[in-house]
Amino acid sequence: MKKKEFIKKIVLGLACIGGLASCAIENDIPYPIVEAAITGMTVEGQRSNPDNNIADATIDNSKRTVTLYVNDSVDVRELKITQLRISNNAELLADSAACVDYGHFPDAGFSSLDSIPVSSNTRINFSKPVTFTLRTYQDYVWTVTVNQVIDRAVDVDGMTRYVLDEENARVIIYVNPSVVTDLSNVQINTLNLGGEYGETRPENGGNVTDVHDFSKGSQEFYARLNWEPKGQYTKWTVYVYQDTDGGASSNVFPMVSRAIINGSVTSGKTPVVEYKEQNASEWQTASDVTTSGATFTAQLTGLQGSTTYSYRVSVDGVAGNENTFTTVQAVALENGSFENWSQEGSRWNPWAESANPFWGTGNKGSSIVPSIGNLTSPTTESISGQAVVMESKDAILKLGAGNIFTGDFDLDGIDGLLHFGRSFSSFPTSLRVYYKYTSEAMQTVGSTTQLPANLEAMIGRPDSCHIYIALSDKAEPYEIRTKATNRQLFDKNDANIIAYGEFISGNTNTSYTQIDIPLTYRDYRTPRYIIIVCSASKYGDYYLGGIGSTLWLDEMELVYE
């Protein structure tokens, strides 16, 4: 059978499968499915998420949601949108109930305020989530949530800790009794109850730093956020007590080879943090200790997994209570040596017969066409035993990028529907692997009309391999779609990414070379999933790559140092 006839039968077969739901022939010509998405959004006063220090909007295509954070300089009830990018030239309909009364909200996406008429008004009441309808041939409803972060700061000489009760407008400050012996002589350094951009004043006017007497337990202050009217203040009550717990308190976040200790300490003091294996006699002193006001962070390194340690915090030579923690178990990477394979017809699978899959590939789409075959296969061209080889090929309708990843692959027509991530709750410090690579000039197969302009300009340049690792605490794996009309790719800056590392190379490397890809931790939370993605063509998600670009990998392992 000729290749064109074979492909025609496959396409017709897929069409027949899609038509099984209806037996009658209709004269109606259905509207095409053209999905629309919000691809970018910025607002005035935009700031980073306090949990991960990422300032960009968090966009979830599967849930059709956008989440942003703003500082306390703006009024979220009249928040100006400065950019709202939308795919596929969709019509834009903002919720009229949330629009500020004057002016007209744009009916299309815009990259800047300079690109819309001066009579337009992009101010929206974001005091609660707001819906935007994107209209093509269908309507797609998106929800935008804006969270305002009011950066209230407190610092007092001798402070060990403080409790800020925003709901009841109260602050309780604890001071070290050996530093602050007289509560009638308290020195306030910072009291930003009106936020970073707002105003705070004493009950009788003047400066907050001039208030010293807390011998009766409390003083009253008045605070106003930056956008609140002049003269409109909220009354706050500030209490100062001597801290009977003494110099420092702390909590610990254990990992495998490290532990992070966070705590409070008398403002201006630097604690000494010591640790040892529980049954050891000698204490070690942590060298990585940082302080900020009345808080400190210490990082303990060189630890062993699944081991119990003792630690203590000393201030001015006085040791605090001895506490313990147990480090997390180091978990090995499943089938990281790529020795286990099985076959399902002509398709190669990177797992043993009857085993639960850990790795996934795009072979489900390519192997059904004999002239294309597997994009990812076992090979004896290895460091030891078997390795994995990935080759990017001309898949007739599109370019097929050789790949392997932790997760599952399925087909969405002739496009990919993937789920990235396997269950995991440990804390590696890097990913180690042997690799070699052959780079070919990048090209596409089929139309480039859906290729972004910045990538279209890369046609003809050398291809690059891409290996990345991420730890996520998202509730489920990441859904990845490669279809141009509803493309949803992995975002390394997603708020749920705890740690990330990557390796990119466009150089041909003919012999196996060991590389270590360090994991940079953005936050200390326990992961739920590990994501490892390896591709012979970095832009394979866009069907752009070098035909013949080939990546070999062997002896991949997680490192805990």
Side-chain angles (χ1 to χ4, degrees), residues 282-322:
E282 297 293 327
W283 290 90
Q284 300 180 64
T285 301
S287 58
D288 186 358
V289 180
T290 58
T291 60
S292 176
T295 64
F296 75 91
T297 299
Q299 184 167 179
L300 315 183
T301 58
L303 309 181
Q304 300 296 317
S306 303
T307 304
T308 299
Y309 287 84
S310 299
Y311 78 96
R312 64 188 182 190
V313 180
S314 302
V315 179
D316 291 338
V318 179
N321 295 329
E322 189 173 316

Side-chain angles (χ1 to χ4, degrees), residues 17 48 50 80 104 151 160 182 191 254 284 295 310 321 378 399 401 407 420 425 444 477 522 541 561:
I17 291 171
S48 60
K80 182 185 291 185
H104 171 70
D151 224 348
T160 59
D182 182 3
L191 192 65
Q284 300 180 64
T295 64
S310 299
N321 295 329
L399 179 134
F420 283 174
S425 58
T444 61
R522 302 166 180 174
D541 290 331
E561 293 179 344

